Amino acid sequence: MGTHGRLAGKVALISGAARGMGAAEARRFAAEGASVVLGDVRVDLAREVADEIGADAAAAIALDVRRPESWADAVAMAEDRFGALHVLVNNAGIAGAQKRFTDLTYEEYLETVEIDQHGVFLGMHAAAPAIARAGGGSIVNISSVNGQFGQAFGLPYCAAKFAVRGMTKVAALELGSSGIRVNSIHPGAVDTPMLDADVNGVDPKSMFPYHKLPAGRIGAPEDIANLALFLASDESAYCTGAEFTADGGQTTGIGLPMFRMPTLG
Ligand code: NAD
Protein backbone atom coordinates (compact mmCIF):
# COMPACT_ATOMS: atom_id res chain seq x y z
CA MET A 1 0.00 0.00 0.00
CA GLY A 2 1.41 3.36 -1.02
CA THR A 3 1.99 6.15 1.47
CA HIS A 4 1.97 8.87 -1.19
CA GLY A 5 -0.65 9.87 -3.72
CA ARG A 6 -4.26 10.90 -3.91
CA LEU A 7 -5.42 7.46 -2.71
CA ALA A 8 -2.61 6.76 -0.24
CA GLY A 9 -3.66 4.17 2.33
CA LYS A 10 -6.91 3.25 0.60
CA VAL A 11 -8.01 -0.18 -0.60
CA ALA A 12 -10.23 -0.40 -3.67
CA LEU A 13 -12.23 -3.26 -5.18
CA ILE A 14 -12.90 -2.86 -8.91
CA SER A 15 -15.24 -5.17 -10.81
CA GLY A 16 -14.57 -5.92 -14.47
CA ALA A 17 -10.95 -4.89 -14.00
CA ALA A 18 -9.42 -7.33 -16.52
CA ARG A 19 -9.51 -4.85 -19.40
CA GLY A 20 -11.00 -1.58 -20.66
CA MET A 21 -11.96 1.06 -18.12
CA GLY A 22 -11.65 -1.26 -15.12
CA ALA A 23 -8.02 -2.05 -15.92
CA ALA A 24 -7.31 1.67 -16.45
CA GLU A 25 -8.89 2.45 -13.07
CA ALA A 26 -6.80 -0.24 -11.36
CA ARG A 27 -3.57 1.14 -12.84
CA ARG A 28 -4.48 4.76 -12.05
CA PHE A 29 -5.58 4.01 -8.47
CA ALA A 30 -2.42 2.02 -7.75
CA ALA A 31 -0.28 4.83 -9.20
CA GLU A 32 -1.93 7.12 -6.64
CA GLY A 33 -1.08 4.90 -3.69
CA ALA A 34 -4.10 2.57 -3.44
CA SER A 35 -4.10 -1.18 -3.04
CA VAL A 36 -6.46 -2.73 -5.55
CA VAL A 37 -8.43 -5.96 -5.82
CA LEU A 38 -9.22 -6.68 -9.46
CA GLY A 39 -12.37 -8.81 -9.86
CA ASP A 40 -13.47 -10.26 -13.18
CA VAL A 41 -14.94 -13.39 -14.73
CA ARG A 42 -11.84 -13.32 -16.95
CA VAL A 43 -9.50 -13.87 -14.02
CA ASP A 44 -6.47 -14.77 -16.18
CA LEU A 45 -6.58 -11.35 -17.83
CA ALA A 46 -7.18 -9.65 -14.46
CA ARG A 47 -4.15 -11.49 -13.07
CA GLU A 48 -1.99 -10.12 -15.89
CA VAL A 49 -3.01 -6.56 -14.97
CA ALA A 50 -2.42 -7.26 -11.26
CA ASP A 51 1.03 -8.74 -12.00
CA GLU A 52 1.92 -5.66 -14.02
CA ILE A 53 0.93 -3.40 -11.09
CA GLY A 54 2.80 -5.60 -8.59
CA ALA A 55 1.82 -8.03 -5.85
CA ASP A 56 2.38 -5.52 -3.04
CA ALA A 57 -0.43 -3.31 -4.38
CA ALA A 58 -2.70 -5.53 -6.47
CA ALA A 59 -4.45 -8.90 -6.36
CA ALA A 60 -6.83 -10.56 -8.81
CA ILE A 61 -9.85 -12.67 -7.98
CA ALA A 62 -12.50 -14.51 -9.97
CA LEU A 63 -15.63 -12.41 -9.56
CA ASP A 64 -18.98 -12.97 -11.23
CA VAL A 65 -21.03 -9.92 -10.28
CA ARG A 66 -24.25 -11.96 -10.58
CA ARG A 67 -23.25 -14.15 -7.61
CA PRO A 68 -23.51 -12.90 -4.00
CA GLU A 69 -20.99 -15.50 -2.76
CA SER A 70 -18.51 -14.30 -5.37
CA TRP A 71 -18.83 -10.75 -4.03
CA ALA A 72 -18.35 -12.01 -0.46
CA ASP A 73 -15.06 -13.65 -1.52
CA ALA A 74 -13.84 -10.43 -3.20
CA VAL A 75 -14.65 -8.27 -0.16
CA ALA A 76 -12.95 -10.84 2.10
CA MET A 77 -9.85 -10.75 -0.11
CA ALA A 78 -9.62 -6.96 0.25
CA GLU A 79 -9.86 -7.17 4.05
CA ASP A 80 -7.62 -10.24 4.48
CA ARG A 81 -4.91 -9.21 2.03
CA PHE A 82 -4.88 -5.44 2.44
CA GLY A 83 -6.58 -4.93 5.83
CA ALA A 84 -9.76 -3.03 4.88
CA LEU A 85 -12.01 -1.87 2.06
CA HIS A 86 -12.57 1.83 1.39
CA VAL A 87 -13.62 2.04 -2.27
CA LEU A 88 -15.84 -0.01 -4.56
CA VAL A 89 -16.00 0.66 -8.30
CA ASN A 90 -18.96 -1.15 -9.84
CA ASN A 91 -17.50 -1.18 -13.34
CA ALA A 92 -18.25 -4.63 -14.82
CA GLY A 93 -20.78 -4.59 -17.60
CA ILE A 94 -21.79 -5.94 -20.99
CA ALA A 95 -23.45 -4.25 -23.95
CA GLY A 96 -25.64 -7.32 -24.39
CA ALA A 97 -28.01 -8.10 -27.24
CA GLN A 98 -28.38 -5.17 -29.67
CA LYS A 99 -31.81 -5.56 -31.26
CA ARG A 100 -35.12 -3.81 -31.47
CA PHE A 101 -36.80 -4.71 -28.20
CA THR A 102 -39.67 -6.50 -29.94
CA ASP A 103 -37.09 -8.95 -31.31
CA LEU A 104 -35.45 -9.65 -27.93
CA THR A 105 -36.08 -12.81 -25.97
CA TYR A 106 -36.72 -12.44 -22.26
CA GLU A 107 -33.48 -14.37 -21.68
CA GLU A 108 -31.52 -11.80 -23.71
CA TYR A 109 -33.10 -8.98 -21.70
CA LEU A 110 -32.27 -10.70 -18.41
CA GLU A 111 -28.66 -11.45 -19.36
CA THR A 112 -27.85 -7.73 -19.59
CA VAL A 113 -29.93 -6.68 -16.59
CA GLU A 114 -28.46 -9.38 -14.35
CA ILE A 115 -24.91 -8.19 -14.97
CA ASP A 116 -25.33 -4.43 -15.48
CA GLN A 117 -28.07 -3.80 -12.90
CA HIS A 118 -28.33 -6.65 -10.39
CA GLY A 119 -24.53 -6.88 -10.29
CA VAL A 120 -24.34 -3.29 -9.06
CA PHE A 121 -26.91 -3.96 -6.32
CA LEU A 122 -25.02 -7.06 -5.19
CA GLY A 123 -21.71 -5.18 -5.20
CA MET A 124 -23.00 -2.34 -3.05
CA HIS A 125 -24.81 -4.84 -0.79
CA ALA A 126 -21.62 -6.81 -0.15
CA ALA A 127 -19.18 -3.90 0.08
CA ALA A 128 -21.08 -1.27 2.07
CA PRO A 129 -20.75 -3.01 5.49
CA ALA A 130 -17.02 -3.52 4.90
CA ILE A 131 -16.53 0.13 3.88
CA ALA A 132 -18.45 1.18 7.00
CA ARG A 133 -16.15 -1.05 9.10
CA ALA A 134 -13.19 0.80 7.58
CA GLY A 135 -14.63 4.10 8.79
CA GLY A 136 -16.23 5.15 5.52
CA GLY A 137 -15.30 5.60 1.89
CA SER A 138 -16.68 5.84 -1.60
CA ILE A 139 -18.76 3.77 -4.02
CA VAL A 140 -18.48 4.66 -7.71
CA ASN A 141 -21.08 3.14 -10.02
CA ILE A 142 -20.31 3.13 -13.74
CA SER A 143 -23.56 3.87 -15.54
CA SER A 144 -23.51 5.42 -19.04
CA VAL A 145 -24.99 8.27 -21.03
CA ASN A 146 -27.49 5.50 -21.77
CA GLY A 147 -28.55 5.97 -18.14
CA GLN A 148 -29.51 9.53 -19.13
CA PHE A 149 -31.05 9.10 -22.59
CA GLY A 150 -32.36 6.22 -24.67
CA GLN A 151 -30.63 4.43 -27.50
CA ALA A 152 -32.35 2.39 -30.19
CA PHE A 153 -31.45 -1.32 -30.01
CA GLY A 154 -30.32 -0.89 -26.40
CA LEU A 155 -33.42 -1.39 -24.24
CA PRO A 156 -31.88 -3.84 -21.72
CA TYR A 157 -28.71 -1.77 -21.45
CA CYS A 158 -30.67 1.48 -20.96
CA ALA A 159 -32.95 -0.21 -18.42
CA ALA A 160 -29.94 -1.31 -16.41
CA LYS A 161 -27.98 1.94 -16.71
CA PHE A 162 -31.01 4.10 -15.74
CA ALA A 163 -31.49 1.76 -12.75
CA VAL A 164 -27.86 2.22 -11.69
CA ARG A 165 -28.39 6.00 -11.71
CA GLY A 166 -31.41 5.59 -9.42
CA MET A 167 -29.82 3.02 -7.11
CA THR A 168 -26.88 5.37 -6.67
CA LYS A 169 -29.12 8.08 -5.25
CA VAL A 170 -30.94 5.76 -2.84
CA ALA A 171 -27.67 4.25 -1.64
CA ALA A 172 -26.25 7.76 -1.10
CA LEU A 173 -29.25 8.66 1.06
CA GLU A 174 -28.97 5.46 3.08
CA LEU A 175 -25.18 5.29 3.51
CA GLY A 176 -24.28 8.91 4.24
CA SER A 177 -24.57 8.41 7.99
CA SER A 178 -21.98 5.60 7.71
CA GLY A 179 -19.51 7.92 6.00
CA ILE A 180 -20.00 6.34 2.58
CA ARG A 181 -20.48 8.49 -0.51
CA VAL A 182 -22.11 7.01 -3.64
CA ASN A 183 -21.91 8.60 -7.08
CA SER A 184 -22.48 7.52 -10.67
CA ILE A 185 -20.27 8.08 -13.71
CA HIS A 186 -21.90 8.43 -17.13
CA PRO A 187 -19.34 7.82 -19.87
CA GLY A 188 -20.08 8.49 -23.51
CA ALA A 189 -18.36 6.31 -26.08
CA VAL A 190 -15.02 5.08 -24.79
CA ASP A 191 -12.48 3.16 -26.84
CA THR A 192 -12.51 -0.24 -25.11
CA PRO A 193 -13.09 -3.82 -26.31
CA MET A 194 -16.81 -3.33 -25.54
CA LEU A 195 -17.12 -1.15 -28.64
CA ASP A 196 -15.48 -3.80 -30.83
CA ALA A 197 -18.74 -5.74 -30.76
CA ASP A 198 -20.79 -5.29 -33.90
CA VAL A 199 -23.99 -3.35 -33.34
CA ASN A 200 -26.65 -4.60 -35.72
CA GLY A 201 -24.01 -5.33 -38.33
CA VAL A 202 -22.46 -1.90 -37.80
CA ASP A 203 -19.11 -1.09 -36.19
CA PRO A 204 -19.90 1.85 -33.85
CA LYS A 205 -16.29 3.03 -33.79
CA SER A 206 -16.18 3.52 -37.57
CA MET A 207 -19.78 4.76 -37.91
CA PHE A 208 -20.15 7.33 -35.14
CA PRO A 209 -18.79 10.79 -36.08
CA TYR A 210 -16.77 11.29 -32.90
CA HIS A 211 -14.87 14.13 -34.54
CA LYS A 212 -18.11 16.15 -34.42
CA LEU A 213 -18.30 15.99 -30.61
CA PRO A 214 -17.20 19.12 -28.75
CA ALA A 215 -14.18 17.13 -27.53
CA GLY A 216 -13.44 16.09 -31.10
CA ARG A 217 -12.59 12.48 -30.31
CA ILE A 218 -13.76 9.20 -28.78
CA GLY A 219 -13.08 8.81 -25.04
CA ALA A 220 -10.08 6.96 -23.68
CA PRO A 221 -10.32 4.56 -20.70
CA GLU A 222 -7.99 6.95 -18.84
CA ASP A 223 -10.57 9.76 -19.18
CA ILE A 224 -12.96 7.71 -17.06
CA ALA A 225 -10.25 6.45 -14.71
CA ASN A 226 -9.31 10.05 -13.88
CA LEU A 227 -12.90 10.87 -12.94
CA ALA A 228 -13.22 7.66 -10.91
CA LEU A 229 -10.00 8.62 -9.11
CA PHE A 230 -11.49 11.96 -8.07
CA LEU A 231 -14.68 10.28 -6.83
CA ALA A 232 -12.74 7.56 -4.99
CA SER A 233 -10.53 10.10 -3.25
CA ASP A 234 -11.27 12.45 -0.37
CA GLU A 235 -11.11 15.33 -2.88
CA SER A 236 -14.77 14.60 -3.64
CA ALA A 237 -15.76 14.66 0.05
CA TYR A 238 -18.82 16.87 -0.58
CA CYS A 239 -20.10 14.87 -3.60
CA THR A 240 -22.68 12.17 -3.05
CA GLY A 241 -25.74 10.94 -4.91
CA ALA A 242 -24.54 12.87 -7.94
CA GLU A 243 -24.15 12.12 -11.65
CA PHE A 244 -20.81 12.82 -13.32
CA THR A 245 -20.87 12.81 -17.11
CA ALA A 246 -17.70 12.25 -19.15
CA ASP A 247 -18.86 12.11 -22.75
CA GLY A 248 -16.86 14.64 -24.74
CA GLY A 249 -20.01 16.75 -24.91
CA GLN A 250 -22.25 14.11 -26.50
CA THR A 251 -25.24 14.94 -24.28
CA THR A 252 -25.03 18.68 -24.83
CA GLY A 253 -27.49 18.42 -27.70
CA ILE A 254 -25.81 17.04 -30.79
CA GLY A 255 -28.12 14.41 -32.28
CA LEU A 256 -26.50 12.40 -35.04
CA PRO A 257 -28.52 9.29 -35.91
CA MET A 258 -26.44 6.12 -36.22
CA PHE A 259 -29.20 3.98 -37.68
CA ARG A 260 -32.04 4.27 -40.14
CA MET A 261 -35.06 2.81 -38.35
CA PRO A 262 -37.16 0.35 -40.37
CA THR A 263 -40.95 0.47 -39.96
CA LEU A 264 -42.38 -1.92 -37.38
CA GLY A 265 -44.39 -4.85 -38.79
P1 NAD B 1 -15.05 -4.06 -21.48
O1 NAD B 1 -15.89 -5.05 -22.19
O2 NAD B 1 -13.74 -3.68 -22.07
O3 NAD B 1 -14.78 -4.51 -19.97
C1 NAD B 1 -15.81 -5.02 -19.17
C2 NAD B 1 -15.23 -6.04 -18.20
O4 NAD B 1 -16.31 -6.57 -17.42
C3 NAD B 1 -14.56 -7.21 -18.91
O5 NAD B 1 -13.27 -7.43 -18.38
C4 NAD B 1 -15.48 -8.38 -18.63
O6 NAD B 1 -14.84 -9.64 -18.55
C5 NAD B 1 -16.10 -7.97 -17.30
N1 NAD B 1 -17.36 -8.66 -17.01
C6 NAD B 1 -18.38 -8.96 -17.87
N2 NAD B 1 -19.33 -9.67 -17.23
C7 NAD B 1 -18.90 -9.83 -15.95
C8 NAD B 1 -19.45 -10.47 -14.80
N3 NAD B 1 -20.62 -11.15 -14.86
N4 NAD B 1 -18.76 -10.42 -13.64
C9 NAD B 1 -17.56 -9.78 -13.59
N5 NAD B 1 -16.98 -9.18 -14.63
C10 NAD B 1 -17.65 -9.19 -15.80
O7 NAD B 1 -15.99 -2.78 -21.31
P2 NAD B 1 -15.70 -1.28 -20.82
O8 NAD B 1 -16.02 -0.40 -21.97
O9 NAD B 1 -14.43 -1.15 -20.12
O10 NAD B 1 -16.93 -1.13 -19.80
C11 NAD B 1 -16.78 -0.83 -18.42
C12 NAD B 1 -18.08 -0.22 -17.94
O11 NAD B 1 -18.31 1.01 -18.63
C13 NAD B 1 -19.32 -1.07 -18.22
O12 NAD B 1 -20.21 -1.00 -17.12
C14 NAD B 1 -19.93 -0.40 -19.44
O13 NAD B 1 -21.31 -0.64 -19.53
C15 NAD B 1 -19.61 1.03 -19.16
N6 NAD B 1 -19.63 1.93 -20.31
C16 NAD B 1 -18.85 1.68 -21.41
C17 NAD B 1 -18.88 2.58 -22.47
C18 NAD B 1 -18.00 2.40 -23.68
O14 NAD B 1 -18.20 3.13 -24.69
N7 NAD B 1 -17.02 1.52 -23.69
C19 NAD B 1 -19.70 3.70 -22.42
C20 NAD B 1 -20.50 3.91 -21.30
C21 NAD B 1 -20.45 3.02 -20.24
Side-chain angles (χ1 to χ4, degrees), residues 15-255:
S15 69
R19 67 180 197 189
M21 288 180 211
E25 287 151 7
R27 293 187 181 99
R28 190 77 181 90
F29 285 18
E32 291 291 345
S35 301
V36 284
V37 175
L38 297 87
D40 207 292
V41 281
R42 304 184 64 169
V43 68
D44 290 350
L45 266 184
R47 202 164 283 131
E48 283 177 27
V49 180
D51 287 348
E52 175 201 314
I53 294 169
D56 52 330
I61 189 168
L63 169 68
D64 185 337
V65 297
R66 295 167 292 191
R67 296 163 52 93
E69 61 278 15
S70 190
W71 275 111
D73 290 345
V75 169
M77 177 186 252
E79 292 189 316
D80 295 347
R81 181 88 178 257
F82 299 116
L85 180 66
H86 307 97
V87 175
L88 168 68
V89 184
N90 269 313
N91 164 81
I94 61 166
Q98 311 273 316
K99 297 176 186 174
R100 184 149 58 184
F101 82 89
T102 48
D103 294 329
L104 285 170
T105 65
Y106 183 47
E107 288 68 31
E108 286 173 326
Y109 172 80
L110 272 185
E111 186 197 17
T112 303
V113 168
E114 281 180 350
I115 294 174
D116 293 3
Q117 176 181 337
H118 300 181
V120 171
F121 165 75
L122 292 172
M124 293 198 295
H125 194 265
I131 300 175
R133 276 196 292 281
S138 172
I139 296 175
V140 182
N141 292 328
I142 308 296
S143 175
S144 167
V145 290
N146 291 139
Q148 297 172 316
F149 63 73
Q151 180 166 318
F153 304 127
L155 187 144
Y157 190 74
C158 284
K161 294 300 187 180
F162 268 79
V164 169
R165 179 180 169 201
M167 283 193 279
T168 297
K169 296 185 193 311
V170 177
L173 289 168
E174 296 182 357
L175 296 177
S177 58
S178 303
I180 304 174
R181 299 177 296 102
V182 191
N183 294 287
S184 57
I185 291 183
H186 300 263
V190 180
D191 195 356
T192 71
M194 180 179 275
L195 288 202
D196 291 339
D198 269 8
V199 178
N200 211 38
V202 170
D203 171 13
K205 272 196 251 182
S206 64
M207 292 298 290
F208 192 92
Y210 297 111
H211 63 282
K212 292 189 180 173
L213 294 174
R217 62 171 174 85
I218 191 170
E222 293 73 22
D223 291 321
I224 309 306
N226 284 331
L227 181 51
L229 167 64
F230 167 70
L231 292 174
S233 79
D234 297 338
E235 294 164 22
S236 55
Y238 204 54
C239 305
T240 193
E243 299 162 26
F244 292 80
T245 301
D247 68 347
Q250 188 182 349
T251 48
T252 53
I254 298 175

